[in-house]
C-alpha cells in the first residue's frame, strides 16, 4: 500500500472517530423531546418560532385551535424514537467504518472482522429505515396540523424512507459480494 493511501486511511479513521464522539453527544436530543412532550413545554414554541421549520404556503398564521389540538405527546414520542434510532444507526455505521479502516491500515483485507463490520453496516441501514418511519410520521404531523415543514437535522420524510431502502440494497449487495469473495479466497487458500 502506498504511503499516501496509508495516510489517507489514517486521516479518514481519525475523522470518523471524531464524528463518533460528536454523535454520542447528540443522545441527549431524544430525552429533550420526551421531557418537552410530557411537560408540554416549548414544543409549540419550538415549532412555531424555530428557523428549522419552514412555513407551508397558505399557512402563514397557525390557528389557536390547531395549536390546541396538536398531539404534543405522540409527536414527542415519535420524534424521540426516530432520533434515537437514527443516532444508534449512525454510531453502528461509524464504529464499523472505523474498524474496517483500522483493518485496512494493518493490511488485513479479506478477514472475518471486515465481513462482520459490513454486516453491521447493513443492520445500521435497517435501523435508519426504521428511524425514517418514526421521523416521517412526526414531521407529517407538523405539516398537517400546523403547516410547518421541518428543515432541520431530523427532517426525514417519506422520500427519505425510499432513499434509505435503495441504500440498503446497495449495502447488502456489497456485503454479499464481499462474502462471496471471501469464500472464493478461502477455497483458493485451501487448494494451495
Amino acid at each position: 500500500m502506498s504511503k499516501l493511501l496509508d495516510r489517507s486511511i489514517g486521516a479518514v479513521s481519525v475523522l470518523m472517530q471524531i464524528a463518533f464522539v460528536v454523535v454520542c453527544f447528540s443522545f441527549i436530543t431524544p430525552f429533550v423531546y420526551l421531557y418537552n412532550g410530557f411537560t408540554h413545554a416549548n414544543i409549540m414554541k419550538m415549532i412555531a418560532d424555530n428557523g428549522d421549520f419552514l412555513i407551508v404556503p397558505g399557512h402563514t398564521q397557525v390557528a389557536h385551535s390547531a395549536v390546541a389540538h396538536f398531539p404534543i405527546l405522540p409527536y414527542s414520542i415519535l420524534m424521540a424514537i426516530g432520533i434515537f434510532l437514527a443516532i444508534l444507526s449512525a454510531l453502528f455505521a461509524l464504529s464499523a467504518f472505523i474498524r474496517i479502516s483500522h483493518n485496512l491500515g494493518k493490511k488485513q483485507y479479506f478477514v472475518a472482522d471486515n465481513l462482520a463490520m459490513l454486516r453491521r453496516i447493513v443492520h445500521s441501514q435497517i435501523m435508519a429505515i426504521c428511524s425514517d418511519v418514526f421521523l416521517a410520521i412526526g414531521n407529517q404531523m407538523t405539516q398537517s396540523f400546523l403547516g410547518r415543514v421541518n428543515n432541520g437535522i431530523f427532517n426525514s420524510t417519506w422520500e427519505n424512507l425510499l432513499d434509505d431502502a435503495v441504500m440498503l440494497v446497495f449495502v447488502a449487495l456489497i456485503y454479499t459480494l464481499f462474502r462471496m469473495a471471501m469464500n472464493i479466497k478461502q477455497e483458493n487458500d485451501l487448494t494451495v
Side-chain angles (χ1 to χ4, degrees):
M1 181 179 328
S2 70
K3 287 185 179 182
L4 179 63
L5 184 59
D6 192 37
R7 288 181 184 161
S8 299
I9 289 172
V12 168
S13 179
V14 168
L15 289 175
M16 285 188 287
Q17 290 172 10
I18 292 169
F20 186 87
V21 171
V22 170
V23 171
C24 284
F25 283 114
S26 61
F27 259 123
I28 195 166
T29 308
F31 297 107
V32 170
Y33 269 90
L34 287 175
Y35 172 77
N36 289 338
F38 281 106
T39 61
H40 297 292
N42 299 330
I43 290 285
M44 297 311 299
K45 183 172 175 30
M46 178 189 75
I47 293 171
D49 298 337
N50 194 337
D52 288 342
F53 287 87
L54 302 176
I55 299 172
V56 174
H59 288 89
T60 56
Q61 296 290 329
V62 179
H64 290 289
S65 62
V67 172
H69 291 96
F70 184 74
I72 293 173
L73 186 60
Y75 170 78
S76 299
I77 291 172
L78 286 168
M79 292 301 287
I81 292 171
I83 292 169
F84 180 79
L85 288 173
I87 293 169
L88 201 60
S89 169
L91 289 176
F92 270 42
L94 283 171
S95 67
F97 283 127
I98 290 168
R99 288 216 359 223
I100 288 172
S101 65
H102 180 71
N103 288 339
L104 292 177
K106 294 189 319 186
K107 297 179 176 64
Q108 296 176 344
Y109 308 114
F110 289 101
V111 293
D113 190 41
N114 286 346
L115 184 64
M117 291 304 103
L118 284 173
R119 186 177 26 235
R120 181 181 286 183
I121 293 170
V122 170
H123 292 155
S124 76
Q125 194 61 33
I126 292 170
M127 273 191 274
I129 290 172
C130 293
S131 79
D132 284 343
V133 172
F134 290 103
L135 292 173
I137 293 171
N139 289 324
Q140 183 68 46
M141 290 170 74
T142 61
Q143 184 175 355
S144 298
F145 282 89
L146 305 174
R148 300 292 189 263
V149 177
N150 187 355
N151 195 36
I153 189 168
F154 298 108
N155 63 352
S156 293
T157 60
W158 298 110
E159 289 84 19
N160 295 98
L161 183 67
L162 181 62
D163 293 343
D164 280 343
V166 170
M167 182 65 78
L168 175 64
V169 170
F170 284 119
V171 171
L173 180 65
I174 291 169
Y175 167 74
T176 303
L177 291 173
F178 191 82
R179 188 182 66 206
M180 291 169 57
M182 276 193 61
N183 289 340
I184 291 170
K185 183 184 179 305
Q186 287 174 352
E187 288 174 9
N188 286 341
D189 289 346
L190 292 175
T191 56
V192 172

